[in-house]
Amino acid sequence: MILLVRILQVVNKRQLLLDEKFGFKPKYSTSLQLARLVERITRNCGEKGLIGAVFIDVAKVFDTFWIDSLLYKLRLLKFPSYLVHTISSYLKDRTFLACFQTATSSHRGMRAGVAQGGLISPVLFSLYVNDMPPHSLQFELALYADDTTIIATSRKPTLLVSYLDSYLNDLQRWLSDCRIAINVTKSTAIIFARAGRRFIQPRPLKLFGEPIEWVDTIPYLGVTVDTQLIWSPHFDQIRRRTAQRMGMLGPLLYRKSDVSVRNGVLLYKQFIRHLMDYAGPAWRSAARSHVRSIQVLQFKCLRLSTSAPW
Protein backbone atom coordinates (compact mmCIF):
# COMPACT_ATOMS: atom_id res chain seq x y z
CA MET A 1 0.00 0.00 0.00
CA ILE A 2 2.85 2.39 0.81
CA LEU A 3 4.45 1.71 -2.58
CA LEU A 4 1.13 2.30 -4.36
CA VAL A 5 0.67 5.67 -2.62
CA ARG A 6 4.18 6.77 -3.62
CA ILE A 7 3.64 5.75 -7.25
CA LEU A 8 0.28 7.52 -7.47
CA GLN A 9 1.76 10.67 -5.95
CA VAL A 10 4.31 10.86 -8.76
CA VAL A 11 1.78 9.92 -11.46
CA ASN A 12 -0.88 12.42 -10.38
CA LYS A 13 1.46 15.28 -9.52
CA ARG A 14 3.22 15.13 -12.89
CA GLN A 15 0.11 14.04 -14.83
CA LEU A 16 1.99 11.21 -16.50
CA LEU A 17 -1.00 9.22 -17.71
CA LEU A 18 -2.81 10.04 -20.95
CA ASP A 19 -5.93 12.20 -20.73
CA GLU A 20 -7.87 9.30 -22.28
CA LYS A 21 -6.71 7.01 -19.48
CA PHE A 22 -9.33 6.62 -16.75
CA GLY A 23 -8.92 4.88 -13.42
CA PHE A 24 -6.26 5.50 -10.75
CA LYS A 25 -6.61 9.24 -11.23
CA PRO A 26 -8.73 11.64 -9.15
CA LYS A 27 -12.14 12.36 -10.73
CA TYR A 28 -11.55 9.83 -13.55
CA SER A 29 -14.10 7.18 -12.58
CA THR A 30 -15.71 4.33 -14.50
CA SER A 31 -19.01 6.19 -14.76
CA LEU A 32 -17.27 9.25 -16.18
CA GLN A 33 -15.58 7.17 -18.88
CA LEU A 34 -18.95 5.66 -19.82
CA ALA A 35 -20.61 9.09 -19.85
CA ARG A 36 -17.79 10.43 -22.03
CA LEU A 37 -18.25 7.64 -24.57
CA VAL A 38 -22.05 8.02 -24.64
CA GLU A 39 -21.80 11.81 -25.00
CA ARG A 40 -19.48 11.42 -27.97
CA ILE A 41 -21.79 8.91 -29.64
CA THR A 42 -24.91 11.02 -29.01
CA ARG A 43 -23.32 14.21 -30.33
CA ASN A 44 -22.03 12.56 -33.48
CA CYS A 45 -25.33 10.77 -34.20
CA GLY A 46 -27.09 14.11 -33.82
CA GLU A 47 -24.89 15.38 -36.66
CA LYS A 48 -26.02 12.38 -38.80
CA GLY A 49 -22.62 10.75 -38.53
CA LEU A 50 -21.48 7.23 -37.72
CA ILE A 51 -19.20 6.14 -34.91
CA GLY A 52 -17.18 2.95 -35.10
CA ALA A 53 -15.60 1.51 -31.99
CA VAL A 54 -13.22 -1.42 -31.59
CA PHE A 55 -13.00 -3.00 -28.15
CA ILE A 56 -9.64 -4.74 -27.72
CA ASP A 57 -9.32 -7.71 -25.36
CA VAL A 58 -5.83 -8.00 -23.88
CA ALA A 59 -4.79 -11.61 -23.21
CA LYS A 60 -3.28 -12.55 -19.84
CA VAL A 61 -2.13 -9.00 -19.28
CA PHE A 62 -0.64 -9.59 -15.84
CA ASP A 63 0.98 -12.92 -16.77
CA THR A 64 2.94 -11.71 -19.81
CA PHE A 65 4.10 -8.32 -18.53
CA TRP A 66 7.57 -7.46 -19.92
CA ILE A 67 9.35 -6.32 -16.77
CA ASP A 68 12.56 -4.95 -18.30
CA SER A 69 10.59 -2.85 -20.77
CA LEU A 70 8.46 -1.44 -17.93
CA LEU A 71 11.55 -0.42 -15.94
CA TYR A 72 13.02 1.20 -19.07
CA LYS A 73 9.82 3.19 -19.63
CA LEU A 74 9.77 4.31 -15.99
CA ARG A 75 13.27 5.70 -16.43
CA LEU A 76 12.17 7.51 -19.59
CA LEU A 77 9.34 9.05 -17.55
CA LYS A 78 12.03 10.19 -15.05
CA PHE A 79 10.52 8.28 -12.17
CA PRO A 80 12.47 8.70 -8.90
CA SER A 81 15.34 6.21 -8.91
CA TYR A 82 14.41 4.82 -5.50
CA LEU A 83 10.94 3.92 -6.82
CA VAL A 84 12.37 2.26 -9.93
CA HIS A 85 14.75 0.18 -7.79
CA THR A 86 11.96 -0.76 -5.39
CA ILE A 87 9.64 -1.80 -8.23
CA SER A 88 12.49 -3.77 -9.82
CA SER A 89 13.16 -5.56 -6.54
CA TYR A 90 9.45 -6.32 -6.20
CA LEU A 91 9.03 -7.72 -9.71
CA LYS A 92 12.30 -9.49 -10.45
CA ASP A 93 13.59 -12.85 -9.20
CA ARG A 94 10.13 -14.09 -8.26
CA THR A 95 9.42 -17.81 -8.23
CA PHE A 96 6.30 -19.95 -8.36
CA LEU A 97 5.26 -23.55 -7.82
CA ALA A 98 2.16 -25.62 -8.52
CA CYS A 99 0.38 -27.91 -6.06
CA PHE A 100 -2.15 -30.65 -6.77
CA GLN A 101 -3.41 -32.79 -3.91
CA THR A 102 -0.22 -34.18 -2.34
CA ALA A 103 2.07 -33.40 -5.30
CA THR A 104 4.14 -30.20 -5.44
CA SER A 105 6.29 -29.02 -8.31
CA SER A 106 9.75 -27.53 -8.02
CA HIS A 107 10.24 -23.78 -7.87
CA ARG A 108 10.44 -22.08 -11.25
CA GLY A 109 11.60 -18.58 -12.01
CA MET A 110 9.23 -15.96 -13.46
CA ARG A 111 10.71 -14.18 -16.45
CA ALA A 112 7.65 -12.02 -17.05
CA GLY A 113 4.44 -10.91 -15.39
CA VAL A 114 3.35 -9.14 -12.24
CA ALA A 115 1.55 -10.45 -9.17
CA GLN A 116 -2.11 -11.32 -9.81
CA GLY A 117 -4.25 -9.15 -7.55
CA GLY A 118 -1.30 -6.96 -6.56
CA LEU A 119 -2.23 -3.41 -5.58
CA ILE A 120 0.32 -1.81 -7.88
CA SER A 121 -0.18 -4.15 -10.87
CA PRO A 122 -2.98 -2.13 -12.61
CA VAL A 123 -1.05 1.13 -12.17
CA LEU A 124 2.12 -0.40 -13.59
CA PHE A 125 0.16 -1.64 -16.58
CA SER A 126 -1.27 1.84 -17.13
CA LEU A 127 2.25 3.27 -17.16
CA TYR A 128 3.45 0.48 -19.45
CA VAL A 129 0.86 1.23 -22.15
CA ASN A 130 1.13 5.00 -21.74
CA ASP A 131 3.13 5.31 -24.97
CA MET A 132 0.60 3.57 -27.22
CA PRO A 133 -0.06 5.27 -30.59
CA PRO A 134 -1.78 8.65 -29.96
CA HIS A 135 -5.18 9.76 -31.22
CA SER A 136 -5.78 12.06 -34.20
CA LEU A 137 -8.63 14.06 -35.75
CA GLN A 138 -10.18 10.89 -37.20
CA PHE A 139 -10.18 8.75 -34.07
CA GLU A 140 -9.63 8.86 -30.32
CA LEU A 141 -8.99 6.44 -27.47
CA ALA A 142 -10.99 5.40 -24.43
CA LEU A 143 -8.78 3.59 -21.93
CA TYR A 144 -9.61 2.13 -18.54
CA ALA A 145 -7.06 -0.20 -16.88
CA ASP A 146 -6.61 -2.99 -19.48
CA ASP A 147 -9.82 -2.08 -21.40
CA THR A 148 -8.81 -0.44 -24.68
CA THR A 149 -11.32 1.12 -27.08
CA ILE A 150 -10.59 2.86 -30.39
CA ILE A 151 -13.28 5.27 -31.63
CA ALA A 152 -13.54 6.71 -35.14
CA THR A 153 -16.15 9.01 -36.72
CA SER A 154 -17.29 9.50 -40.31
CA ARG A 155 -20.44 9.88 -42.38
CA LYS A 156 -19.48 6.93 -44.59
CA PRO A 157 -18.95 3.34 -43.40
CA THR A 158 -16.08 2.81 -45.86
CA LEU A 159 -14.14 5.78 -44.49
CA LEU A 160 -14.93 4.65 -40.95
CA VAL A 161 -13.37 1.26 -41.59
CA SER A 162 -10.32 2.78 -43.29
CA TYR A 163 -9.69 5.03 -40.25
CA LEU A 164 -9.96 2.10 -37.87
CA ASP A 165 -7.78 -0.07 -40.12
CA SER A 166 -5.10 2.61 -40.19
CA TYR A 167 -4.95 2.82 -36.43
CA LEU A 168 -5.07 -0.96 -35.95
CA ASN A 169 -2.01 -1.29 -38.21
CA ASP A 170 -0.08 1.15 -36.03
CA LEU A 171 -1.39 -0.54 -32.90
CA GLN A 172 -0.34 -3.96 -34.17
CA ARG A 173 3.27 -2.82 -34.56
CA TRP A 174 3.26 -1.25 -31.09
CA LEU A 175 1.75 -4.37 -29.50
CA SER A 176 4.44 -6.53 -31.11
CA ASP A 177 7.21 -4.23 -29.87
CA CYS A 178 5.78 -4.28 -26.32
CA ARG A 179 5.08 -8.05 -26.39
CA ILE A 180 1.42 -7.56 -25.50
CA ALA A 181 -0.82 -10.41 -26.62
CA ILE A 182 -4.37 -9.80 -27.84
CA ASN A 183 -7.41 -12.10 -27.88
CA VAL A 184 -8.63 -11.17 -31.36
CA THR A 185 -11.49 -13.68 -31.16
CA LYS A 186 -12.77 -11.91 -28.02
CA SER A 187 -12.25 -8.44 -29.47
CA THR A 188 -15.32 -6.90 -31.09
CA ALA A 189 -16.35 -3.90 -33.16
CA ILE A 190 -19.61 -1.96 -33.33
CA ILE A 191 -21.05 0.93 -35.35
CA PHE A 192 -23.29 3.46 -33.61
CA ALA A 193 -25.90 5.31 -35.67
CA ARG A 194 -29.06 7.31 -35.04
CA ALA A 195 -32.38 5.47 -35.20
CA GLY A 196 -33.52 4.90 -38.80
CA ARG A 197 -30.07 5.31 -40.31
CA ARG A 198 -29.38 2.43 -42.70
CA PHE A 199 -26.02 1.37 -44.07
CA ILE A 200 -24.39 -1.71 -45.55
CA GLN A 201 -22.44 -3.82 -43.09
CA PRO A 202 -18.76 -3.02 -43.80
CA ARG A 203 -16.03 -5.57 -44.32
CA PRO A 204 -14.46 -7.08 -41.18
CA LEU A 205 -11.56 -5.34 -39.51
CA LYS A 206 -8.41 -7.36 -38.96
CA LEU A 207 -5.75 -7.49 -36.28
CA PHE A 208 -2.75 -9.81 -36.60
CA GLY A 209 -4.44 -11.29 -39.67
CA GLU A 210 -7.57 -12.37 -37.77
CA PRO A 211 -11.02 -10.80 -38.34
CA ILE A 212 -12.73 -8.76 -35.63
CA GLU A 213 -16.44 -9.52 -35.40
CA TRP A 214 -19.08 -6.79 -35.85
CA VAL A 215 -21.74 -6.93 -33.11
CA ASP A 216 -25.00 -5.14 -32.25
CA THR A 217 -24.51 -5.00 -28.47
CA ILE A 218 -21.43 -5.08 -26.31
CA PRO A 219 -20.78 -5.07 -22.54
CA TYR A 220 -18.42 -2.25 -21.63
CA LEU A 221 -17.35 -1.43 -18.06
CA GLY A 222 -20.46 -3.08 -16.64
CA VAL A 223 -22.96 -1.49 -19.06
CA THR A 224 -24.49 -3.14 -22.14
CA VAL A 225 -24.28 -0.69 -25.05
CA ASP A 226 -26.30 -1.12 -28.26
CA THR A 227 -25.90 0.37 -31.73
CA GLN A 228 -28.63 3.02 -31.34
CA LEU A 229 -28.31 3.67 -27.60
CA ILE A 230 -31.91 2.70 -26.88
CA TRP A 231 -30.64 0.84 -23.78
CA SER A 232 -33.11 -2.04 -23.98
CA PRO A 233 -30.39 -4.75 -23.65
CA HIS A 234 -28.92 -2.96 -20.64
CA PHE A 235 -32.23 -2.72 -18.78
CA ASP A 236 -33.00 -6.34 -19.64
CA GLN A 237 -29.70 -7.24 -18.04
CA ILE A 238 -30.53 -5.19 -14.94
CA ARG A 239 -33.88 -6.93 -14.51
CA ARG A 240 -32.33 -10.35 -15.04
CA ARG A 241 -29.51 -9.82 -12.54
CA THR A 242 -31.86 -8.25 -9.99
CA ALA A 243 -34.23 -11.22 -10.23
CA GLN A 244 -31.30 -13.57 -9.64
CA ARG A 245 -30.17 -11.66 -6.56
CA MET A 246 -33.71 -11.52 -5.17
CA GLY A 247 -34.00 -15.26 -5.70
CA MET A 248 -30.83 -15.79 -3.67
CA LEU A 249 -32.00 -13.48 -0.87
CA GLY A 250 -35.59 -14.77 -0.94
CA PRO A 251 -35.19 -17.10 2.07
CA LEU A 252 -33.99 -14.14 4.15
CA LEU A 253 -36.51 -11.55 2.95
CA TYR A 254 -39.82 -13.40 2.78
CA ARG A 255 -42.62 -12.09 5.01
CA LYS A 256 -42.28 -14.64 7.81
CA SER A 257 -38.52 -14.24 8.07
CA ASP A 258 -36.96 -13.18 11.37
CA VAL A 259 -34.72 -10.63 9.62
CA SER A 260 -35.49 -7.12 10.87
CA VAL A 261 -36.58 -4.32 8.54
CA ARG A 262 -33.28 -2.54 9.12
CA ASN A 263 -31.26 -5.59 8.09
CA GLY A 264 -33.57 -6.25 5.16
CA VAL A 265 -32.98 -2.75 3.81
CA LEU A 266 -29.25 -3.18 4.43
CA LEU A 267 -29.24 -6.37 2.34
CA TYR A 268 -31.15 -4.55 -0.41
CA LYS A 269 -28.67 -1.66 -0.49
CA GLN A 270 -25.66 -3.95 -0.34
CA PHE A 271 -26.61 -6.54 -2.96
CA ILE A 272 -29.33 -5.10 -5.19
CA ARG A 273 -29.52 -1.31 -5.29
CA HIS A 274 -26.16 -0.81 -7.05
CA LEU A 275 -27.35 -3.03 -9.93
CA MET A 276 -30.08 -0.49 -10.69
CA ASP A 277 -28.31 2.84 -10.36
CA TYR A 278 -24.80 1.94 -11.59
CA ALA A 279 -23.51 4.36 -14.26
CA GLY A 280 -26.71 6.43 -14.19
CA PRO A 281 -25.03 9.41 -15.94
CA ALA A 282 -24.28 7.17 -18.94
CA TRP A 283 -27.85 5.93 -19.56
CA ARG A 284 -29.55 9.21 -18.53
CA SER A 285 -31.01 9.51 -22.07
CA ALA A 286 -32.93 6.21 -21.84
CA ALA A 287 -36.68 6.24 -22.47
CA ARG A 288 -38.92 6.90 -19.48
CA SER A 289 -40.48 3.48 -19.88
CA HIS A 290 -37.09 1.87 -19.14
CA VAL A 291 -36.51 4.01 -16.07
CA ARG A 292 -40.07 3.34 -14.93
CA SER A 293 -39.52 -0.43 -15.20
CA ILE A 294 -36.54 -0.13 -12.86
CA GLN A 295 -38.56 2.01 -10.47
CA VAL A 296 -41.30 -0.65 -10.35
CA LEU A 297 -38.67 -3.31 -9.73
CA GLN A 298 -37.23 -1.24 -6.89
CA PHE A 299 -40.68 -0.97 -5.26
CA LYS A 300 -41.04 -4.73 -5.44
CA CYS A 301 -37.61 -5.31 -3.86
CA LEU A 302 -38.32 -2.82 -1.09
CA ARG A 303 -41.70 -4.37 -0.31
CA LEU A 304 -39.98 -7.73 0.16
CA SER A 305 -37.15 -6.21 2.18
CA THR A 306 -39.47 -4.33 4.56
CA SER A 307 -42.49 -6.68 4.52
CA ALA A 308 -44.59 -3.64 3.52
CA PRO A 309 -48.20 -4.17 2.30
CA TRP A 310 -49.10 -3.73 -1.36
Side-chain angles (χ1 to χ4, degrees), residues 268 273 276 294-303:
Y268 163 75
R273 175 60 187 264
M276 301 183 187
I294 298 301
Q295 185 68 62
V296 171
L297 186 59
Q298 178 177 244
F299 290 157
K300 180 179 179 180
C301 294
L302 284 174
R303 278 196 298 271

Side-chain angles (χ1 to χ4, degrees), residues 21 57-66 112-116 121-122 124-126 128-129 145-148 178-183:
K21 190 75 177 179
D57 184 83
V58 181
K60 300 179 180 179
V61 56
F62 296 122
D63 295 332
T64 58
F65 216 98
W66 189 8
V114 295
Q116 286 279 0
S121 298
L124 294 180
F125 177 77
S126 298
Y128 185 64
V129 301
D146 61 338
D147 289 305
T148 302
C178 294
R179 302 183 185 177
I180 297 177
I182 298 296
N183 277 325

Side-chain angles (χ1 to χ4, degrees), residues 12 25 61 78 131 136 144 181 186 226 252 277 292 304:
N12 295 327
K25 293 194 296 183
V61 56
K78 297 182 179 179
D131 61 343
S136 71
Y144 191 95
K186 293 183 179 180
D226 58 275
L252 293 174
D277 60 11
R292 176 62 181 169
L304 289 173

Side-chain angles (χ1 to χ4, degrees), residues 24-298:
F24 311 107
K25 293 194 296 183
K27 302 179 181 179
Y28 280 70
S29 65
T30 310
S31 296
L32 185 59
Q33 177 70 300
L34 286 165
R36 172 175 172 263
L37 175 64
V38 171
E39 190 274 336
R40 175 66 186 273
I41 296 170
T42 304
R43 184 177 71 247
N44 194 72
C45 290
E47 297 171 356
K48 299 182 180 180
L50 299 172
I51 280 194
V54 181
F55 297 83
I56 304 295
D57 184 83
V58 181
K60 300 179 180 179
V61 56
F62 296 122
D63 295 332
T64 58
F65 216 98
W66 189 8
I67 298 174
D68 290 333
S69 180
L70 168 67
L71 298 175
Y72 173 72
K73 291 182 179 183
L74 291 179
R75 293 187 180 96
L76 289 181
L77 292 172
K78 297 182 179 179
F79 247 67
S81 58
Y82 79 92
L83 275 181
V84 177
H85 290 310
T86 304
I87 294 171
S88 175
S89 175
Y90 173 72
L91 295 179
K92 286 192 170 184
D93 300 323
R94 300 177 71 96
T95 60
F96 72 96
L97 57 84
C99 299
F100 179 72
Q101 295 180 355
T102 59
T104 303
S105 71
S106 60
H107 284 265
R108 302 294 178 91
M110 294 178 60
R111 293 177 294 179
V114 295
Q116 286 279 0
L119 290 176
I120 67 172
S121 298
V123 184
L124 294 180
F125 177 77
S126 298
L127 291 167
Y128 185 64
V129 301
N130 203 51
D131 61 343
M132 68 189 311
H135 66 274
S136 71
L137 293 176
Q138 288 79 26
F139 52 82
E140 63 179 284
L141 303 174
L143 310 172
Y144 191 95
D146 61 338
D147 289 305
T148 302
T149 306
I150 303 107
I151 306 166
T153 59
S154 177
R155 291 179 179 270
K156 298 180 179 179
T158 52
L159 280 178
L160 197 63
V161 172
S162 66
Y163 294 153
L164 291 172
D165 259 339
S166 174
Y167 185 83
L168 288 175
N169 289 333
D170 295 338
L171 182 66
Q172 180 174 314
R173 288 190 291 269
W174 178 83
L175 290 170
S176 299
D177 292 340
C178 294
R179 302 183 185 177
I180 297 177
I182 298 296
N183 277 325
V184 181
T185 55
K186 293 183 179 180
S187 301
T188 52
I190 189 172
I191 292 181
F192 299 99
R194 66 186 302 175
R197 172 72 187 271
R198 295 184 179 181
F199 55 89
I200 299 174
Q201 183 82 324
R203 61 176 174 81
L205 299 166
K206 288 189 176 182
L207 186 62
F208 293 105
E210 297 184 47
I212 298 177
E213 181 185 3
W214 292 104
V215 296
D216 295 325
T217 63
I218 186 167
Y220 179 62
L221 299 181
V223 171
T224 304
V225 186
D226 58 275
T227 55
Q228 296 180 350
L229 290 186
I230 58 177
W231 298 109
S232 292
H234 178 63
F235 283 90
D236 290 342
Q237 179 75 1
I238 291 177
R239 288 189 289 269
R240 192 159 47 244
R241 294 181 63 190
T242 301
Q244 291 173 351
R245 292 286 177 89
M246 287 303 298
M248 293 170 57
L249 296 175
L252 293 174
L253 299 179
Y254 75 106
R255 291 187 179 274
K256 295 183 180 181
S257 172
D258 294 331
V259 175
S260 65
V261 171
R262 179 179 179 181
N263 289 335
V265 173
L266 180 62
L267 288 171
Y268 163 75
K269 290 181 178 180
Q270 185 71 26
F271 294 101
I272 299 173
R273 175 60 187 264
H274 65 90
L275 298 176
M276 301 183 187
D277 60 11
Y278 170 70
W283 47 261
R284 67 191 184 280
S285 59
R288 290 186 179 181
S289 58
H290 290 316
V291 180
R292 176 62 181 169
S293 69
I294 298 301
Q295 185 68 62
V296 171
L297 186 59
Q298 178 177 244

